Amino acid sequence: MLKQNLSKVALLVSTALVLSACEPTTQHVEQNATATKPALVAAYPASLQTLTAGHTLYVPLPWGASTWRVQADRNQLQWLDAQGQVQLSVAGRFSRVTAQPLDATRGVVAALEAESNSLYLWLLDTAENRIALTLQQVVNSRVVEDLCFYHSSENQQLSLFILGGRGGADQLLLQQQQQWLANPVVIRELNVPYDSKACAVDDASGSLFIAEADRAIWLYQAEPEAEEGRELLQVGQPFGAINAEIIALKALSANQLVALQEEPAALLLLDDGKISQYPLAANSTANNLAATLGEQQVDFYVSNEEGAALQQLTLALALPAVTPKAAMAQVLPTLQTVAASARGDVIDDPAVWHHPTSAAQSLILATDKRAGLEVYNMQGERVQQLNVGRLNNVDVRYGLAWQGEPHDIAVASLRNNNSLQLFAINGQGDVLPAGQVATSMQEIYGLCMYQDATTQAHYVFVNDKSGLFEQYRISAANGQWQGQKVRSFNVPSQPEGCVADDSSGVLFVGEEDEGIWRFAAAADASSDGELIIKVDGETLVDDVEGLALGYHAGKPLLIASSQGNDSYVIYDALPPYALRLQFRVSTHYQLGIDGASETDGLDLTTRSLGPGFEQGAFIVQDGRNRMPEQGQNLKLVPWQQLLEKLN
Ligand code: CA
Ligand code: CA
Ligand code: CA
Ligand code: CA
Ligand code: CA
């Protein structure tokens, strides 16, 4: 929505002329004669007044019944209560102040002292008339140009973007699930344009706006696990509306952004693709922008570095009502595997192998889409790397003799030659290549295994991007393994993830854009499937990726990667397939482990994997491995954490 609306770079600039103190007068002039189809410029009635001089910063805090404010001159920053009494003074040359309400009466304020490049954070409780300094630290990572908060109601995180002018920004996590961090941590470093001067965030849409000098305004995603891409929202003249350096930004809604131009001082309103400009002639230059949002109007306060005129511009502008997103359940990873050596979309699908006697010596296998199979121990260290080719999905079953000895079996889909790559796993956990089985696939893709509870026979289900599934029986002959195709069936479009329940003989299949199917797993069963859970764009958002099963209280649960909204969904694996839990894997800042997002494959075991995972583990591929930015890896969440949310 935002992308469609704000990203139009209009070739049209309007100019509001003659704004006098008490007479709201606005006129707009089309300046660009080359625009053959001029867009209509919607202007809002505006009034401009000049308030007292002397403020380099002026930020009203309209929280609760009373409006406090923070103001600064060239020597100090002051907190004033609703009666205008100074409650706190802090010496220094403060260049930025930004504020974030937290609830009806409380909020947090961040400020930058420019001489020492120090960040200050205060909590204000207007009901208790209390200000508390919670952080004061020198920022060593970069010379700070601007600060902007991001409060995600859905992910229950409060963070602060620290924007540097030399191409970088830090996202500092301050609060998670209502808990303040004793030591805030940088959870993401962003690459931003070299001359970035200003930032702003719209909380509801998770939009991070960054202004690049007089050249451009960019849109990034504020979520720490979001993709890193950016979009161009507006550019400098002659192609766009920006005609001076942008020194401050304020987001009014997902589709309404205000930019303060430094010299000549003017506000640009980017409004749903339309652009208005409001000159602020009383200031030769402008530097700081604050706003209070009313139901029918927005008041902007503009000051400059010299503390010349403080101007208040009021726009009769009704903002859209926004309902914050409901909080989503969060679980925290307690272990991550070593990063893939290559960047990009490399790791795809994990599978657990349980050691027969020692849970802590169990292994996690994962496919590397470039190279082969990775094997990790329960410390997350790589213990084996089998460079057999471009593997996509992998699964494990137990108890199939190989070369005359008992072995367990892993099978992976091999894209080099559309075959099944077999691996034998001995009792010590050594993983050995054990041959290939040709398939009739054109574009082999997803895969899962099944052991028939009645016959004990081992099977592989493998799919093709066309929607074709084939079922192979794997059996031992003369010490080697061989595969025999026993059945084929189809889903209408591209599938990938699948999982079979050995005890009930049910196969679940993800059709990436459509939903989850149920088939009977037995080799001689009907090939008619049933679409049991549909992609709905809210709970289950395409692509449907990895699927896994686990038993809880004697009943099977189905867990799916809802890749399109970076979350996971647990359903009853029995009709009517009720939704049990929707959740995310969030940042474990104490352990320095980032959250998981864009997950492809996943696995779940409810058996012990040793200390910390006594109840088992939920294992996901993380498409964006951060803290620091590295190749992809897997995140492990103790199953216990999810049991607590399910009960
Ligand atoms: Ca991927
Ligand atoms: Ca896929
Ligand atoms: Ca991540
Ligand atoms: Ca995949
Ligand atoms: Ca990491």
Side-chain angles (χ1 to χ4, degrees):
M1 139 193 82
L2 176 141
K3 294 172 184 173
Q4 288 158 5
N5 292 333
L6 259 187
S7 62
K8 299 163 196 158
V9 176
L11 289 168
L12 214 116
V13 180
S14 71
T15 310
L17 301 171
V18 195
L19 290 165
S20 66
C22 299
E23 286 177 342
T25 311
T26 314
Q27 269 184 287
H28 290 266
V29 178
E30 295 175 9
Q31 289 190 325
N32 192 324
T34 63
T36 50
K37 288 183 187 170
L40 285 173
V41 174
Y44 297 95
S47 69
L48 181 67
Q49 23 181 335
T50 301
L51 308 179
T52 54
H55 300 301
T56 57
L57 293 165
Y58 184 93
V59 182
L61 308 171
W63 303 332
S66 60
T67 294
W68 285 55
R69 78 174 183 266
V70 174
Q71 62 189 39
D73 58 26
R74 299 174 80 166
N75 303 310
Q76 64 178 341
L77 176 144
Q78 291 183 313
W79 285 79
L80 286 79
D81 65 16
Q83 286 71 47
Q85 300 296 311
V86 175
Q87 293 293 335
L88 179 69
S89 296
V90 185
R93 189 170 71 77
F94 285 84
S95 61
R96 289 290 187 184
V97 168
T98 186
Q100 176 79 31
L102 294 174
D103 56 31
T105 59
R106 297 180 318 132
V108 57
V109 170
L112 182 78
E113 202 288 308
E115 302 286 352
S116 60
N117 204 44
S118 288
L119 172 65
Y120 286 69
L121 276 178
W122 292 277
L123 273 173
L124 170 65
D125 188 326
T126 58
E128 306 261 321
N129 274 352
R130 199 174 58 224
I131 311 160
L133 178 70
T134 63
L135 186 75
Q136 180 188 345
Q137 69 178 38
V138 175
V139 178
N140 292 315
S141 55
R142 54 193 87 254
V143 175
V144 182
E145 292 288 342
D146 202 3
L147 304 168
C148 45
F149 284 110
Y150 172 46
H151 190 215
S152 167
S153 57
E154 189 177 38
N155 285 341
Q156 303 164 72
Q157 288 184 329
L158 174 70
S159 54
L160 180 74
F161 288 98
I162 300 172
L163 180 69
R166 299 192 170 188
D170 298 319
Q171 186 170 12
L172 191 67
L173 182 65
L174 302 175
Q175 194 190 50
Q176 180 164 307
Q177 291 172 295
Q178 275 78 55
Q179 298 295 311
W180 289 93
L181 277 62
N183 297 299
V185 292
V186 174
I187 52 174
R188 177 185 175 197
E189 291 173 35
L190 289 89
N191 295 314
V192 298
Y194 187 81
D195 280 332
S196 296
K197 288 286 158 57
C199 63
V201 172
D202 175 62
D203 287 341
S205 59
S207 305
L208 167 64
F209 303 97
I210 290 180
E212 177 190 2
D214 61 353
R215 291 190 287 280
I217 300 173
W218 298 93
L219 168 65
Y220 294 75
Q221 292 192 58
E223 271 304 322
E225 280 288 329
E227 65 179 293
E228 286 173 85
R230 61 177 186 174
E231 271 187 65
L232 187 59
L233 289 185
Q234 186 56 243
V235 295
Q237 289 185 342
F239 303 109
I242 301 167
N243 51 20
E245 178 138 319
I246 292 171
I247 200 70
L249 290 172
K250 175 77 188 173
L252 303 181
S253 70
N255 298 316
Q256 293 168 305
L257 180 70
V258 171
L260 178 65
Q261 295 193 160
E262 185 177 28
E263 189 177 5
L267 276 188
L268 276 185
L269 171 62
L270 280 66
D271 175 19
D272 228 0
K274 301 178 293 272
I275 298 156
S276 311
Q277 192 180 62
Y278 300 89
L280 300 162
N283 273 309
S284 56
T285 64
N287 197 247
N288 274 284
L289 173 66
T292 57
L293 315 183
E295 277 180 18
Q296 298 297 325
Q297 68 175 53
V298 182
D299 294 299
F300 297 99
Y301 299 88
V302 178
S303 52
N304 74 4
E305 259 178 321
E306 285 72 44
L310 169 67
Q311 291 179 282
Q312 179 183 345
L313 176 74
T314 300
L315 294 188
L317 160 61
L319 296 174
V322 175
T323 311
K325 288 181 187 163
M328 196 185 288
Q330 312 278 324
V331 295
L332 304 181
T334 59
L335 184 70
Q336 63 180 340
T337 58
V338 64
S341 53
R343 295 298 182 96
D345 197 17
V346 170
I347 302 296
D348 197 274
D349 187 36
V352 168
W353 174 78
H354 286 277
H355 189 278
T357 54
S358 172
Q361 288 175 265
S362 298
L363 299 171
I364 299 162
L365 282 51
T367 53
D368 177 329
K369 287 194 270 207
R370 296 161 310 140
L373 192 74
E374 301 268 289
V375 185
Y376 310 106
N377 63 18
M378 287 311 301
Q379 285 73 53
E381 299 158 341
R382 184 183 292 109
V383 293
Q384 263 192 279
Q385 200 164 28
L386 296 110
N387 295 320
V388 295
R390 296 186 290 117
L391 298 184
N392 196 60
N393 280 185
V394 64
D395 205 359
V396 167
R397 285 297 185 273
Y398 298 86
L400 192 62
W402 184 70
Q403 296 186 342
E405 299 288 332
H407 279 81
D408 301 321
I409 179 171
V411 180
S413 44
L414 179 59
R415 294 173 81 167
N416 299 53
N417 59 4
N418 292 301
S419 71
L420 307 178
Q421 171 67 51
L422 312 182
F423 299 94
I425 309 172
N426 67 22
Q428 289 75 52
D430 302 313
V431 181
L432 309 157
Q436 296 180 357
V437 174
T439 72
S440 37
M441 303 266 149
Q442 304 293 313
E443 278 188 282
I444 201 167
Y445 204 39
L447 175 147
C448 56
M449 295 191 70
Y450 167 61
Q451 185 175 17
D452 188 302
T454 309
T455 65
Q456 300 300 312
H458 290 77
Y459 295 94
V460 174
F461 290 102
V462 61
N463 59 54
D464 184 278
K465 286 189 174 180
S466 67
L468 170 68
F469 271 77
E470 291 181 339
Q471 182 173 5
Y472 288 82
R473 180 173 177 176
I474 307 294
S475 52
N478 305 321
Q480 300 300 310
W481 287 338
Q482 59 187 32
Q484 180 195 4
K485 186 163 78 178
V486 295
R487 186 166 67 131
S488 59
F489 51 93
N490 285 276
V491 294
S493 68
Q494 183 170 310
E496 186 177 359
C498 60
V499 62
D501 186 339
D502 294 353
S503 60
S504 65
V506 172
L507 171 71
F508 297 96
V509 168
E511 186 187 4
E512 289 187 344
D513 294 342
E514 301 299 330
I516 301 171
W517 290 77
R518 178 194 189 281
F519 290 85
D524 57 357
S526 158
S527 292
D528 295 334
E530 179 193 0
L531 182 62
I532 55 166
I533 299 164
K534 289 183 182 161
V535 164
D536 61 6
E538 279 188 19
T539 307
L540 188 63
V541 182
D542 56 327
D543 293 352
V544 179
E545 286 283 332
L547 296 177
L549 283 162
Y551 274 74
H552 172 54
K555 297 244 174 71
L557 298 170
L558 177 65
I559 191 162
S561 167
S562 174
Q563 193 182 50
N565 63 349
D566 297 320
S567 68
Y568 312 91
V569 195
I570 299 181
Y571 301 94
D572 285 329
L574 295 171
Y577 308 103
L579 171 67
R580 296 291 300 276
L581 185 68
Q582 180 184 17
F583 67 98
R584 292 216 163 102
V585 175
S586 193
T587 322
H588 198 318
Y589 59 87
Q590 293 100 328
L591 296 179
I593 304 176
D594 59 308
S597 58
E598 206 190 17
T599 292
D600 288 314
L602 51 75
D603 202 3
L604 168 64
T605 179
T606 57
R607 290 170 60 188
S608 176
L609 290 175
F613 299 100
E614 288 83 356
Q615 306 295 314
F618 175 54
I619 302 163
V620 298
Q621 179 258 8
D622 179 16
R624 306 180 186 106
N625 181 21
R626 297 193 165 140
M627 294 175 67
E629 205 73 41
Q630 286 181 310
Q632 292 179 337
N633 68 357
L634 306 175
K635 304 295 196 284
L636 278 76
V637 176
W639 178 236
Q640 181 66 36
Q641 280 190 36
L642 282 152
L643 287 178
E644 286 160 15
K645 307 233 180 262
L646 282 167
N647 286 335

